[in-house]
Amino acid sequence: MADNLETFLDTLNPPQKEAVLHTKGALMIIAGAGSGKTRVLTYRIAHLLNEPTEPFRILALTFTNKAAGEMRKRIQDLAGKQAKYIWMGTFHSVFSRILRQEGHRLGFTKDFTIYDTEDSKNLIKTIIKERKLDEKIYTIGAVYGRISTMKNQLISYKSYLQESTYLQEDEYNKRPEFKTIYQIYQTRCFRANAMDFDDLLFMTNILMRDHEEVREKYQNLFQYILIDEFQDTNFAQYNLVRTLAQKHRNICVVGDDAQSIYAFRGADIKNILNFEKDYPELKVVRLEQNYRSTQSIVQAANSVIAHNRNQLEKKVWTSNEDGALIKLVRNVTDTEEGRMVADTIYFSKMNNGKRNSDFAVLYRTNAQSRKIEDALREKNIKYRLISGLSFYQRKEIKDLVAYLRLVINSNDEEAFKRVINFPKRGIGDATVEKIFETAQTQRIKLWEVVRNIAQHATGRSISTIHAFGEMIENFKTLLETQDAYFVARTVANTCGIIDDLKKDDNKIEGISRLENIQELLNGIKEFVDNPENEDKSLSAFLQQISLLTTADESDNNEDNDKVTLITIHGSKGLEFPNVFIVGIEEGLFPSSMMSERTQDIEEERRLFYVAITRAEESLVLSYARQRYYYGNIKDCEPSRFLSEINPTFLTMVGGKLNTVKSNNSNNPLEHEKTSGYSFVKQFRPANPNTANTQYNHTPSANFRPSDFRDMKVGMRVEHQKFGFGEITQIQAEETKVIVDFDNRGKTTLVMTFAKLMIIEKV
C-alpha cells in the first residue's frame, strides 16, 4: 500500500501534498472551486491509515451520503478493505449511530424512531388543533421552522422559556403560545421514543455536555477528525466536532467561504471565518489552482467575489487556456431567453458535435425552468431536472391542472380523485369510493352522482360534496365567455390551492410552490396573449400542455444524453462543460427577499460565484428586460452582480432574437445577421494583468450614476471604483464605453452597467 500511495502522492501539486502530509494539529484547507479537494481528503485519510492509524479512530463527516460513499470507495482503492471501518458519513448518520449506543442515558432506547419532516409537521398540526390555536397564525411551516432553528442553535424549550427576547419576539409575531407548542412537541417526541432530524444533532450535544464518561470515550476514540464542506456547518454541528476534538486537537476542516450558500438551512459562515479563534495553532493551506475552468471563467468569478467584505484571503488561478469570453446576453423577454438557450444548444450540437449532456442551465428559482423546458421541447432537445420534478409534474402544478381538467371534463375520474379532498374538505376515502361504486353499479356518469349526491349517499359529507359540485359548475359557466387565463386565475383563487400554499409562505418550500403556481398562470396568460393562437380557450391550452407532458413521460429513462436543468443551490459540487445562467435580474438574482441586509447580499453574491464556477469551457449569462409576473409583463433591470464582472472577460450580446431562416451552419451567437442577435467583440487591454488591479477611490458625496443614454465622447465622468476619467469612445450601438481614467488608463465598460456619473459635459 505504501508504494501505491507514494505513487499517487506524486500526482498532487505542492499545496495539495502539504495538506495530505500535515496530520498533526488543527488544519484548515481553503479549497477554491475546482481545486481537487475531494482528492486531497481521500489521500489524506489513506495517508493516515498508512502511518498507521486504526481506521475506527478516524471520523470523517460529509453532508451527503453520496459524497461519503464515493470517498470511502476511493480510499478503499488506495488502502484496501480497512476503509470500511472508518467512521465516515453525514453528520446525522454518524451521530445517530452514537445515539443508538448511548441514547439510553437520555431516556431513549436503541430502537428510537426518527421522525421525518412530514411526521414532525403532522405532530405539530395535531398540537395546534388540540390547543385550539388559529392555524392561520400558527402555521405549521412557521412553527416547524422555528423549532428547527432553535435546535440548531442548541436552545432547548427550557432555555427558550427563560429567554425574554424570544418570548417578546413571539408576542410581536402574535404567536405567544409557541413556547407551549415547543414544549409539548418535545415531550410527545420523547414519550413516543422518537427524535426528529434536528434532534440527532441536538441530543448528541446534550449527551456530550451532560455525560462526562461518554464525552471522554469519544474524545479518546476519535484521534483524527475531518469535516468536508465546513462552510456549510451550523452551530450545533460545529459545537459537536469542537467538543470531540478537544483532546487530540487533530481536526482538519475543508471548505470554501466563497461557496457558503446555505444560510437558509442554518449554515453559519462564521464557523469557517472565525475557526482560527478556537485554534490559534491553526495551519492554513490554500488550494488555489483551479483545474476545472478556463482563464476567463476563473478571473470573472474572482472579480465578482472580490466585492464581498467578509471572506478569507485566497487567489484562485488556473493554468488552463484563456478560453472563450463569457457571453452576456440581453433578451427582450423571458420567452426570448428560453429560445436563446435552446437555439444555442441546437446549433452547437449541429455544428460543433456537442451532446445534450454537455450543457446545463442554472437558475435562481425552480419556477424559471418552465420557459426553458418549453423552448427545449420546441427544439426536440431532451433534458432532465435535477433536485426537482419536471415543471408540469410538480405536485402543486398537477393539483391546479387537475381542477382545470375537471372544469373542462367533469367525468375525468383521475382529476376528480386528485382534487375532491384537496384542499381538505372532510371527505374521506370511503366516501370517494362510494361515489365511484355508485357510478359503476348504476351505470351513470361520475358527475351525475356528484350533482345528485343526496340521492346516492347519506352522512355529513353530503353538503360538502354538493358545495364542491356547485363550485365546479360555477367555473364551467365562465368557459362560454372568458379566455383561458381568466378561467384559470379564477379557479386558482377560488378553489383553495393558493390559500393553502400561503399558510407556508414564510418557508422556502411554500414560497417556491406559490411561484410555480404563478408561473403556470403566466404561461396561460402568454398563451392567451399570443396572436398565433386563434383558439384561446382553456380546452386548447390543456390540449397543448398534455402533448408536452406526454412526450416527456415517454422519454427513455436510460438515455443520459440530456441537458441538465438545475437550481444554482442544487448545482453546488457539480461541473458542466457549457453553462447558461439565466434570469440574472434585480429582484430575482439577487432575490428580493435577500436584498435588505449586507450579509444576505453577500450570500447571494457567493451563490452567483458558485454558479459561474460550475462552467468548464464556456459560460453564457442571460437576463431579460421583461418577464411575466402575476399575469402582467414586468420591466426588469439587470442584476447588480453583472456590473461587478471585470468586462475584460465579457462579450455583450443583445437585441431581439429572431427565428433562424438561413440553412447555413452558423451558431446564432456568433453572427448577428444569421439570427438577429447583435454581437459585439470584446476589447482587451494590452496588459490583461491590469484587470486585477485594485483601486481605492472614494466616490463623491453626491455620487449618483447618470443615465448612460446621456453620455457622449469627451465627457468627464466619475466611477465609484476607478475614479475620474474621460469618455474616449462609445462602441457598437452604445453597448460599451471606453473611459481613459486618470489613475488606470483606458478601460472598457459595459454601458448599461458602467454606473458613471457625468461631472463635465461637452
Side-chain angles (χ1 to χ4, degrees):
M1 171 188 164
D3 293 340
N4 188 36
L5 180 60
E6 190 64 34
T7 301
F8 281 110
L9 288 176
D10 290 340
T11 66
L12 302 177
N13 65 35
Q16 289 175 332
K17 193 169 184 178
E18 182 182 15
V20 168
L21 297 179
H22 183 86
T23 58
K24 301 299 182 183
L27 174 68
M28 179 162 68
I29 304 172
I30 303 175
S35 61
K37 73 175 179 66
T38 302
R39 172 187 286 190
V40 169
L41 270 176
T42 301
Y43 287 7
R44 180 180 171 84
I45 295 174
H47 175 64
L48 287 173
L49 293 172
N50 190 51
E51 279 197 333
T53 302
E54 295 290 345
F56 57 81
R57 304 205 68 187
I58 300 173
L59 171 63
L61 297 167
T62 66
F63 273 84
T64 66
N65 290 309
K66 180 181 178 182
E70 291 177 350
M71 195 179 303
R72 190 186 296 275
K73 184 178 184 303
R74 292 190 190 186
I75 296 169
Q76 191 165 328
D77 291 340
L78 287 169
K81 294 182 179 180
Q82 60 179 324
K84 69 179 182 179
Y85 299 110
I86 299 170
W87 282 69
M88 177 180 288
T90 65
F91 281 86
H92 294 89
S93 65
V94 167
F95 295 131
S96 172
R97 179 180 171 185
I98 291 177
L99 286 168
R100 295 289 182 193
Q101 297 178 17
E102 312 290 348
H104 64 276
R105 302 172 191 271
L106 301 177
F108 294 89
T109 74
K110 64 178 181 180
D111 298 319
F112 66 82
T113 298
I114 299 175
Y115 279 174
D116 61 17
T117 301
E118 186 175 356
D119 294 324
S120 297
K121 288 186 174 182
N122 286 338
L123 176 54
I124 290 170
K125 183 177 182 179
T126 299
I127 295 170
I128 290 172
K129 284 187 175 181
E130 290 175 351
R131 301 288 298 175
K132 298 181 180 179
L133 300 173
D134 189 339
E135 294 185 25
K136 294 181 180 179
I137 297 176
Y138 292 90
T139 61
I140 297 171
V143 173
Y144 171 79
R146 188 158 177 80
I147 290 176
S148 178
T149 298
M150 291 302 109
K151 290 184 181 180
N152 286 331
Q153 295 176 4
L154 300 183
I155 299 168
S156 67
Y157 74 82
K158 293 180 180 178
S159 299
Y160 195 93
L161 291 170
Q162 298 171 0
E163 181 54 62
S164 60
T165 302
Y166 297 135
L167 301 180
Q168 290 171 4
E169 186 177 345
D170 289 338
E171 290 285 351
Y172 177 79
N173 291 322
K174 298 181 180 179
R175 294 174 185 154
E177 287 297 304
F178 172 79
K179 60 183 184 297
T180 306
I181 298 173
Y182 188 9
Q183 179 177 2
I184 296 173
Y185 174 81
Q186 285 300 97
T187 302
R188 296 275 281 271
C189 284
F190 180 76
R191 288 177 179 173
N193 192 35
M195 298 186 200
D196 65 21
F197 213 55
D198 296 311
D199 279 330
L200 299 177
L201 302 176
F202 181 80
M203 293 299 179
T204 308
N205 270 282
I206 299 300
L207 182 68
M208 297 296 170
R209 183 196 69 186
D210 295 348
H211 296 272
E212 182 179 358
E213 69 280 15
V214 177
R215 181 172 66 250
E216 291 183 351
K217 172 183 175 180
Y218 289 97
Q219 286 175 344
N220 289 326
L221 176 64
F222 297 133
Q223 185 178 356
Y224 295 97
I225 299 176
L226 303 92
I227 303 101
D228 191 17
E229 303 288 3
F230 185 62
Q231 76 279 351
D232 294 333
T233 55
N234 60 33
F235 178 71
Q237 290 164 330
Y238 179 47
N239 193 66
L240 267 176
V241 296
R242 181 174 55 187
T243 298
L244 292 172
Q246 279 180 358
K247 181 173 183 178
H248 298 290
R249 298 184 74 82
N250 295 326
I251 181 171
C252 171
V253 301
V254 185
D256 181 7
D257 58 296
Q259 298 186 65
S260 179
I261 59 173
Y262 294 121
F264 68 91
R265 295 181 185 171
D268 190 347
I269 193 174
K270 294 194 294 293
N271 290 345
I272 192 169
L273 295 179
N274 301 330
F275 188 62
E276 191 170 3
K277 292 182 179 180
D278 287 327
Y279 298 92
E281 74 277 22
L282 180 70
K283 179 177 180 59
V284 178
V285 175
R286 293 176 172 82
L287 306 183
E288 299 173 311
Q289 183 174 1
N290 180 300
Y291 291 93
R292 174 188 300 158
S293 308
T294 64
Q295 293 270 5
S296 294
I297 292 169
V298 170
Q299 294 298 334
N302 287 345
S303 65
V304 170
I305 203 62
H307 287 78
N308 271 12
R309 295 180 181 178
N310 296 314
Q311 59 178 307
L312 298 171
E313 179 185 354
K314 59 182 171 297
K315 298 178 181 178
V316 179
W317 60 280
T318 184
S319 60
N320 294 341
E321 62 183 13
D322 287 350
L325 294 175
I326 297 170
K327 293 181 176 65
L328 175 58
V329 184
R330 177 183 60 196
N331 304 281
V332 176
T333 67
D334 49 350
T335 298
E336 178 183 299
E337 180 178 61
R339 290 175 180 168
M340 177 275 295
V341 170
D343 284 348
T344 305
I345 294 172
Y346 179 82
F347 277 86
S348 293
K349 288 173 59 182
M350 294 300 103
N351 306 323
N352 302 323
K354 298 289 186 180
R355 292 167 54 85
N356 291 329
S357 55
D358 291 329
F359 297 92
V361 185
L362 278 54
Y363 34 79
R364 181 64 179 82
T365 67
N366 273 313
Q368 291 171 255
S369 75
R370 183 183 66 83
K371 289 295 180 64
I372 309 300
E373 290 187 67
D374 288 349
L376 292 175
R377 286 191 184 104
E378 287 180 6
K379 288 287 184 182
N380 206 21
I381 297 173
K382 295 179 180 180
Y383 64 88
R384 59 173 181 166
L385 275 90
I386 306 296
S387 298
L389 299 171
S390 169
F391 182 83
Y392 294 108
Q393 293 300 311
R394 292 167 185 160
K395 179 184 182 303
E396 59 275 12
I397 299 303
K398 291 177 71 69
D399 289 336
L400 181 52
V401 168
Y403 269 104
L404 301 181
R405 283 166 49 187
L406 200 59
V407 172
I408 297 297
N409 175 17
S410 298
N411 292 300
D412 186 328
E413 294 186 1
E414 293 304 313
F416 177 82
K417 285 192 292 186
R418 188 175 187 93
V419 302
I420 181 60
N421 200 36
F422 182 82
K424 290 186 177 180
R425 301 180 175 86
I427 303 173
D429 292 341
T431 302
V432 175
E433 291 176 5
K434 177 66 175 176
I435 292 173
F436 279 98
E437 180 181 347
T438 301
Q440 292 174 3
T441 56
Q442 297 190 20
R443 298 183 179 181
I444 57 178
K445 292 183 177 180
L446 169 70
W447 199 244
E448 185 177 341
V449 178
V450 173
R451 295 299 292 143
N452 300 282
I453 189 63
Q455 299 176 17
H456 304 288
T458 59
R460 292 176 296 178
S461 61
I462 290 179
S463 59
T464 306
I465 296 172
H466 179 76
F468 175 80
E470 287 291 320
M471 179 179 68
I472 299 299
E473 287 296 324
N474 289 336
F475 293 153
K476 282 175 167 292
T477 63
L478 301 176
L479 295 174
E480 299 175 2
T481 58
Q482 303 295 337
D483 61 35
Y485 176 70
F486 185 92
V487 177
R489 185 183 62 185
T490 303
V491 172
N493 290 329
T494 306
C495 72
I497 286 180
I498 290 180
D499 289 340
D500 189 71
L501 292 177
K502 282 182 177 179
K503 293 176 183 177
D504 281 333
D505 62 359
N506 60 335
K507 291 289 291 179
I508 298 296
E509 296 88 351
I511 294 170
S512 177
R513 289 174 184 140
L514 281 169
E515 290 174 341
N516 289 337
I517 289 290
Q518 187 54 55
E519 190 64 13
L520 175 62
L521 294 177
N522 288 343
I524 299 174
K525 184 66 162 61
E526 289 180 59
F527 172 82
V528 170
D529 290 345
N530 188 344
E532 295 181 6
N533 294 329
E534 295 182 4
D535 186 351
K536 303 180 186 301
S537 68
L538 183 60
S539 178
F541 175 79
L542 291 177
Q543 288 179 36
Q544 184 185 80
I545 67 169
S546 68
L547 292 173
L548 296 176
T549 54
T550 299
D552 191 41
E553 290 171 357
S554 63
D555 192 13
N556 184 356
N557 293 328
E558 296 181 357
D559 181 5
N560 292 320
D561 184 28
K562 298 177 182 179
V563 177
T564 297
L565 308 185
I566 190 170
T567 65
I568 301 171
H569 279 103
S571 73
K572 185 171 176 291
L574 303 177
E575 55 190 45
F576 309 93
N578 309 284
V579 171
F580 297 85
I581 309 174
V582 298
I584 312 177
E585 300 144 22
E586 284 294 311
L588 187 55
F589 196 11
S591 166
S592 58
M593 296 183 294
M594 299 284 284
S595 299
E596 295 182 1
R597 302 186 303 169
T598 300
Q599 59 263 43
D600 290 340
I601 286 295
E602 293 209 345
E603 170 133 344
E604 289 287 286
R605 187 177 287 113
R606 292 193 294 270
L607 189 61
F608 189 41
Y609 174 84
V610 166
I612 293 173
T613 54
R614 298 311 93 196
E616 299 172 343
E617 301 171 8
S618 73
L619 177 63
V620 176
L621 308 176
S622 173
Y623 69 95
R625 296 313 302 260
Q626 293 182 331
R627 187 174 294 273
Y628 265 92
Y629 190 74
Y630 287 99
N632 297 310
I633 296 177
K634 174 188 176 184
D635 291 332
C636 304
E637 293 294 331
S639 169
R640 70 191 76 182
F641 297 149
L642 294 175
S643 66
E644 296 173 354
I645 300 175
N646 189 318
T648 302
F649 307 106
L650 286 176
T651 182
M652 186 74 184
V653 181
K656 184 178 180 180
L657 173 64
N658 297 322
T659 303
V660 179
K661 298 180 180 179
S662 171
N663 291 323
N664 62 30
S665 59
N666 292 321
N667 186 316
L669 282 179
E670 300 298 335
H671 298 278
E672 59 175 317
K673 292 183 180 180
T674 301
S675 65
Y677 291 101
S678 175
F679 183 83
V680 183
K681 291 185 177 180
Q682 172 65 36
F683 168 81
R684 279 185 180 271
N687 180 10
N689 292 328
T690 60
N692 297 324
T693 306
Q694 297 294 316
Y695 296 89
N696 296 317
H697 171 73
T698 301
S700 303
N702 64 339
F703 183 88
R704 294 289 185 278
S706 304
D707 190 328
F708 70 89
R709 291 168 293 190
D710 296 334
M711 295 179 188
K712 295 180 174 57
V713 173
M715 284 184 172
R716 188 83 175 156
V717 294
E718 180 183 3
H719 187 275
Q720 286 178 294
K721 182 177 180 182
F722 303 144
F724 300 98
E726 180 180 318
I727 297 176
T728 61
Q729 186 178 350
I730 295 177
Q731 292 184 338
E733 300 179 2
E734 301 184 346
T735 60
K736 290 192 177 180
V737 58
I738 298 178
V739 181
D740 189 358
F741 288 104
D742 298 346
N743 297 319
R744 177 183 172 91
K746 289 186 177 181
T747 302
T748 301
L749 302 171
V750 178
M751 181 75 92
T752 46
F753 306 139
K755 295 184 180 179
L756 299 169
M757 181 176 76
I758 299 172
I759 58 175
E760 186 178 318
K761 296 184 177 182
V762 293

